[in-house]
Amino acid sequence: MGYQCVRCSFPIKSLYVQYSPGNIRLMKCEKCKGVADEYIECEIMILMIDLMLHKQKAYRHLLYNVLNQQTLKFEGLHWKLAVIYLIFDACINLYVEARNSSSLVSTFCKVFVDVVFGNFMFLLTFFFMFKIFLNISNSISRFNDLLLAIMISCYFKIFLIAMMVWEFPTSVIFIIELFCLSSNAVALNVMTESSMSRCVLACFGAYAVKLFVTQVLDLRFLELLVQGWIQMSSSSSFSSEPS
């Protein structure tokens, strides 16, 4: 990924010229004639607010001009983000299961199933949607860029840390997931330049498949757990009968 103008997404060679430490001049876009990336001189809080407001300029700045392969070492970045993403997803499931007063073993098994298999189907559906709806090429580098954009745009999951400290209703989880879905759609729209409706459809399909798979696996796990408990009860009652 190369540098882009945050206004019109036109490729540019450099974002600024540095004359001396602390003395820079922002470059202008050759197409729209405006400043290519004004976020370079903005505070990080302004960028965060614009990201929450789903402004495409902020996403282009983050995905193209900050996370740039020419200046940033990508080695191991995908794995680190994947681990953080799975940890946040595990926190969601632990928070829900803790309210259900489940046993430790059943809680661990359900969290493992939801996090591993749910996210596997989530990514598999995403890549399928990329090819069908967004007409993405099969190059590995392109899929890596889109995977990075998906994980970065799930930054709303960081607010789950507050749920581990303060008491919140479970409806907050739904709101955070909804924000992640909309953020993923904007990131895909910026990366692929496809229509927003196609990006929303791709994101909604992936989240729907993930929810369906986790619900089916949870029901199957609950069924096996009940069957095992019945068998243990029947065997213990049979062994306790006098001969």
Side-chain angles (χ1 to χ4, degrees), residues 84-213:
I84 295 174
Y85 178 88
L86 293 177
I87 289 175
F88 281 137
D89 222 24
C91 289
I92 296 177
N93 291 276
L94 284 173
Y95 182 81
V96 173
E97 293 301 323
R99 290 196 163 196
N100 295 334
S101 300
S102 304
S103 63
L104 182 61
V105 176
S106 63
T107 298
F108 175 78
C109 292
K110 291 182 69 176
V111 170
F112 178 80
V113 167
D114 290 346
V115 171
V116 176
F117 291 99
N119 283 289
F120 174 76
M121 293 304 300
F122 173 76
L123 293 177
L124 189 64
T125 307
F126 245 126
F127 291 141
F128 176 76
M129 293 292 185
F130 290 162
K131 185 62 179 176
I132 299 300
F133 292 101
L134 305 179
N135 297 322
I136 303 301
S137 62
N138 292 325
S139 62
I140 298 178
S141 60
R142 186 58 172 163
F143 278 122
N144 286 337
D145 292 341
L146 292 174
L147 179 61
L148 180 65
I150 291 300
M151 290 188 293
I152 288 292
S153 58
C154 287
Y155 58 88
F156 273 100
K157 290 182 181 289
I158 198 172
F159 292 105
L160 293 170
I161 298 177
M163 298 184 65
M164 310 301 292
V165 180
W166 294 286
E167 192 75 13
F168 286 97
T170 53
S171 59
V172 175
I173 297 177
F174 173 77
I175 296 175
I176 291 177
E177 292 289 349
L178 188 62
F179 269 110
C180 288
L181 189 152
S182 59
S183 181
N184 291 156
V186 176
L188 285 182
N189 179 253
V190 169
M191 294 291 294
T192 63
E193 296 185 357
S194 300
S195 63
M196 182 59 73
S197 59
R198 288 178 177 268
C199 295
V200 171
L201 182 61
C203 295
F204 181 80
Y207 276 88
V209 169
K210 177 183 177 181
L211 179 62
F212 175 77
V213 169

Side-chain angles (χ1 to χ4, degrees), residues 16-119:
Y16 60 89
V17 176
Q18 184 173 5
Y19 298 105
S20 61
N23 183 18
I24 63 174
R25 179 173 65 89
L26 300 181
M27 301 299 293
K28 290 188 177 182
C29 176
E30 297 178 358
K31 182 179 180 180
C32 65
K33 307 302 180 182
V35 176
D37 192 350
E38 64 268 24
Y39 287 103
I40 295 177
E41 294 184 337
C42 293
E43 297 291 337
I44 186 65
M45 187 58 64
I46 296 177
L47 175 63
M48 290 299 299
I49 293 174
D50 285 352
L51 286 172
M52 293 179 185
L53 294 176
H54 291 358
K55 290 187 177 182
Q56 293 185 349
K57 295 193 302 181
Y59 280 85
R60 285 196 185 97
H61 167 77
L62 179 63
L63 297 175
Y64 283 100
N65 299 340
V66 175
L67 301 175
N68 191 287
Q69 294 182 4
Q70 299 175 0
T71 58
L72 185 67
K73 293 183 179 179
F74 267 45
E75 184 178 357
L77 180 61
H78 287 83
W79 290 108
K80 294 175 182 178
L81 289 175
V83 170
I84 295 174
Y85 178 88
L86 293 177
I87 289 175
F88 281 137
D89 222 24
C91 289
I92 296 177
N93 291 276
L94 284 173
Y95 182 81
V96 173
E97 293 301 323
R99 290 196 163 196
N100 295 334
S101 300
S102 304
S103 63
L104 182 61
V105 176
S106 63
T107 298
F108 175 78
C109 292
K110 291 182 69 176
V111 170
F112 178 80
V113 167
D114 290 346
V115 171
V116 176
F117 291 99
N119 283 289

Side-chain angles (χ1 to χ4, degrees), residues 3-21:
Y3 295 127
Q4 283 192 4
C5 173
V6 297
R7 298 175 181 272
C8 63
S9 71
F10 188 77
I12 56 177
K13 295 181 180 180
S14 60
L15 300 174
Y16 60 89
V17 176
Q18 184 173 5
Y19 298 105
S20 61

